[in-house]
Each structure stands twice: as structure tokens, then as C-alpha cells.
Amino acid sequence: MTEKPSTIETLSDRLANVRSRIEAAARRCDRSPEEITLVAISKTHPPEMLQAALAAGITDLGENRVQEAEGKIIEVGRKAARWHLVGHLQANKARRAVSLFDVIHSLDSAGLARRLDRLCASEGREELPVLIQVDLGGEETKTGIDPRKLPELLNALSECERVRLTGLMTLPPYFENADCARPYFKTLRELRDDLRQQGRFGERIGELSMGMTHDFEIAIEEGATIVRVGTAIFGARNQLI
Ligand SMILES: *Cc1c(COP(=O)(O)O)cnc(C)c1O
């Protein structure tokens, strides 16, 4: 009798499937798959699963809670992956976040931008790439910044010395039919294009972090440069987060 497939094989099969779907979606809209970064969202999963993902070729891991991520990052290795914070960041966790994460996707206020900038200075961190999380769902999602408050945040960012705006992130409301998320992705892309024209990203392209297990192909068709995929790589989470 042959052995049951190990976790690593199962995970690498799922990952291969996700990669081929990313590739197919990119080709459908004449984009190169290389311009899309896959961030594996590992929240709720134990460090061994993260290690399995790295062994299978993942380079970027995402977590949504500083507290949960901390132990895992220490165990897996701060330098073993590029670590992305994709969940809301509370002010009292900002210092830990500055030392634990390479990229923060959830910047949502001018106050947080200023705080992160001060913390970078005191932690000796030269540069912190951040994405602004924009709330395009209004009532339905309540995560990220209200687009009307963007000018204030952009002002604060222009005064930051170490916090660098590298792009925008959004988390649309959940729709049974993933195609219904398309207008949100399109709106985020248009907003990115505006900010790019204003020179808000400097020399950088202006990343679009959008698309999850349920809708990453649609997000890619609408211009995503970063997709955040958890379930399709790690399997279902048995905790609701
Ligand atoms: C959990 C999470 C994801 C991944 O969700 P899946 O549906 O499991 O792919 C992506 N982005 C954020 C902000 C998340 O919290």
C-alpha cells in the first residue's frame, strides 16, 4: 500500500492549481503572470503549514493579526518569507508590526501613517512599504478608509520620511457571484491610476492588492498586481476570522 500524500504534496498540488489559474486569468487579458505577486494568507494555520508553503515555492506570506502572526513569524523566521500584514492594525500593535512585517496592506488613517513613521525612526527601520486599504463597500464592509478621507491621509503620507506608499488594497463585500465584485476592483484601479498621475507612488507602479480565493481571477482581469489567497492554498479554515 502506498502512503497517504503528505501535507507538502497536497499543499503543493493546490498551489500549482492556483498558479495555473493565475496564469490563465493573466493570459485572458494579455497580462504577464510575472507581474502578479501571490501572497499566501496563512491566518489560523500552524507554523508547519507555513513552512510547507515555503518549501513549495511560496515567497510571500500574509497574516491578519499582529498577535497571532508574531509567534509564527519568530518560529518560521523573520527572513524566511516576505511578511504581509493584511488585517486592521490597531495603534497599540503598530510598533510590533513595524518590526515583524515587510509590507502593511491596511493603512487606513492619517494618524496611523504618522505613528508608523515615528516608529520606523525609533526602531531604526529605513523604509516601510504600505498600501492604503480603501473601503469601497461603504456600509457593507466598514474596513479601510472612506475614500472621502483620502486627501488627509495622502497629505500625512507626503510628510512621512520612512513610510512609503506603494499601492492600494481593497476587500469588497462578499458576493455569491464573484463577478459582482468586479466594479469594486475597477474602482480601485481607477483610483490607483489617478494617484499615479498625481505622482503619489513616486517611481513605483502603484500596486493593486485585490482578489482572494473566491474572486482572484476577476481581480486579475481588473488589474490586480497582488492577490491574497488563503483557502485555495491552505484549505478551509476551521475558525471564523
Ligand atoms: C483571510 C483573508 C484573505 C484570504 O481569504 P481566502 O478567501 O481564504 O483566500 C485575503 N485578504 C484578507 C484581508 C484576509 O483577511
Side-chain angles (χ1 to χ4, degrees), residues 6-127:
S6 73
T7 312
I8 293 176
E9 282 162 339
T10 310
L11 191 144
S12 74
D13 289 346
R14 286 196 218 106
L15 180 58
N17 181 261
V18 169
R19 289 220 190 272
S20 75
R21 287 168 59 192
I22 289 174
E23 223 174 281
R27 300 219 186 284
R28 273 201 297 282
C29 52
D30 285 323
R31 299 184 58 202
S32 159
E34 279 88 66
E35 60 188 68
I36 299 154
T37 302
L38 172 60
V39 179
I41 306 297
S42 50
K43 64 189 184 203
T44 78
H45 297 291
E48 307 80 70
M49 291 283 274
L50 282 61
Q51 275 151 346
L54 294 172
I58 281 291
T59 54
D60 291 72
L61 287 167
E63 287 280 332
N64 72 333
R65 291 178 179 190
V66 175
Q67 195 138 340
E68 179 193 337
E70 181 160 21
K72 288 155 80 173
I73 294 175
I74 290 166
E75 183 155 348
V76 174
R78 175 67 186 84
K79 299 281 175 207
R82 229 156 5 129
W83 296 97
H84 299 248
L85 178 66
V86 301
H88 175 68
L89 178 56
Q90 290 167 284
N92 63 353
K93 303 271 166 55
R95 184 182 294 277
R96 296 305 300 139
V98 163
S99 68
L100 289 168
F101 290 94
D102 293 286
V103 186
I104 293 176
H105 290 233
S106 47
L107 179 65
D108 59 3
S109 74
L112 182 60
R114 286 189 282 262
R115 179 183 290 262
L116 288 170
D117 205 51
R118 284 195 303 271
L119 289 168
C120 284
S122 81
E123 297 282 307
R125 176 142 182 196
E126 297 277 309
E127 195 172 284

Side-chain angles (χ1 to χ4, degrees), residues 41 43 64 86-87 169 171 212-214 228-232 237:
I41 306 297
K43 64 189 184 203
N64 72 333
V86 301
M169 183 272 236
L171 189 67
M212 311 170 29
T213 291
H214 182 59
R228 310 179 310 266
V229 180
T231 309
R237 291 180 289 273

